[in-house]
Amino acid sequence: MRVRKKPWAAPYIKDHADLIVTDPASQLGHWQERFPSQQPIQVEIGIGKGQFIIEMARQNPEINFLGIEIQESVIATALRKLVESGLTNVQLVETDGANIDTLFAEGEVDKLYLNFSDPWPKKRHTKRRLTAPNFLVHYQKVLKKAGRIQFKTDNRGLFEYSLMSFNNFGMTFEEVWLDLHNSDGNVGNVQTEYEEKFSAKGPIYKLVAHF
């Protein structure tokens, strides 16, 4: 999806360097230094406008959250929300989440969130799906032992593919929801902007699994 460029985004990001990282490779192995307290680190890849990660941080002050987003205009909107929230246990990262193995040291992350990732439906694009084995290898490297991945989508094809991919990789399933919003799994569910907008059109699928 093409995102309209926001002229204010770049200067706003520059003015809030205490809350957003634009050179993430320099933080490898030192992400805890970005936070007031050393706490477990959880990472969302593709934060959109930031609703999910900011609300998660508000509800879980004992956890440090990192939100990755490649689109400058999109992450600037999330940054503005973060500034308004006053939260200190969230940091944003402007980069491509596909390169996560170059951003974190081995075992530096406790949990990963993949929310409504691009389904890349064409077969020739399979390796671009964030739940493909080529990505799982990198996730396993940066996650602590038994570190979890939480995945949500409204795309049944991607959900079925992800089930197969996780299973074939030898992961252990902790939760599998075929209609999250009409199940017990919806208790405490923090929604993304996309989820709020499109959940009425069909079921939301959710997986939680660990290596």
Side-chain angles (χ1 to χ4, degrees):
M1 181 180 70
R2 188 173 181 180
V3 178
R4 182 177 298 177
K5 186 175 177 63
K6 294 180 172 66
W8 58 268
Y12 191 79
I13 288 171
K14 185 176 180 180
D15 289 344
H16 294 88
D18 58 322
L19 294 174
I20 186 168
V21 174
T22 56
D23 180 24
S26 65
Q27 295 295 135
L28 191 149
H30 299 281
W31 286 103
Q32 292 285 7
E33 297 172 10
R34 298 285 303 184
F35 300 95
S37 303
Q38 289 204 4
Q39 305 179 140
I41 290 177
Q42 298 188 1
V43 178
E44 182 185 10
I45 300 178
I47 65 169
K49 296 178 181 179
Q51 176 173 299
F52 174 84
I53 197 165
I54 290 173
E55 182 57 29
M56 286 292 291
R58 183 179 288 113
Q59 293 185 17
N60 301 277
E62 75 286 356
I63 296 172
N64 290 334
F65 289 89
L66 288 165
I68 297 174
E69 175 59 54
I70 194 172
Q71 296 281 358
E72 180 182 72
S73 294
V74 176
I75 201 169
T77 300
L79 177 59
R80 189 160 58 183
K81 289 181 181 178
L82 176 56
V83 170
E84 292 171 355
S85 76
L87 294 168
T88 60
N89 62 326
V90 188
Q91 287 281 313
L92 304 185
V93 187
E94 185 185 357
T95 193
D96 187 353
N99 302 320
I100 193 169
D101 60 317
T102 66
L103 308 179
F104 298 98
E106 187 172 341
E108 194 171 10
V109 178
D110 287 80
K111 188 173 184 178
L112 284 173
Y113 297 93
L114 306 174
N115 291 319
F116 302 92
S117 310
D118 192 325
W120 293 104
K122 294 182 180 179
K123 189 172 182 179
R124 68 175 183 270
H125 293 151
T126 298
K127 290 186 176 180
R128 297 185 185 182
R129 299 170 189 164
L130 292 185
T131 53
N134 47 296
F135 285 111
L136 297 183
V137 170
H138 300 320
Y139 302 154
Q140 186 178 35
K141 178 181 176 182
V142 302
L143 282 166
K144 294 186 184 304
K145 187 176 180 180
R148 294 179 176 89
I149 296 176
Q150 178 175 303
F151 166 76
K152 288 196 290 187
T153 184
D154 63 337
N155 186 288
R156 186 175 180 87
L158 179 61
F159 177 73
E160 292 175 348
Y161 170 83
S162 302
L163 271 174
M164 178 186 67
S165 180
F166 284 20
N167 182 70
N168 291 347
F169 202 83
M171 297 182 69
T172 300
F173 293 102
E174 298 181 12
E175 298 180 35
V176 178
W177 301 101
L178 303 179
D179 189 0
L180 178 63
H181 288 193
N182 293 302
S183 70
D184 294 341
N186 198 42
V187 176
N189 177 49
V190 175
Q191 297 189 53
T192 70
E193 294 92 346
Y194 180 95
E195 188 174 354
E196 284 188 344
K197 186 175 181 179
F198 290 99
S199 60
K201 297 185 177 182
I204 301 299
Y205 308 98
K206 177 182 175 181
L207 297 176
V208 178
H210 68 262
F211 292 101

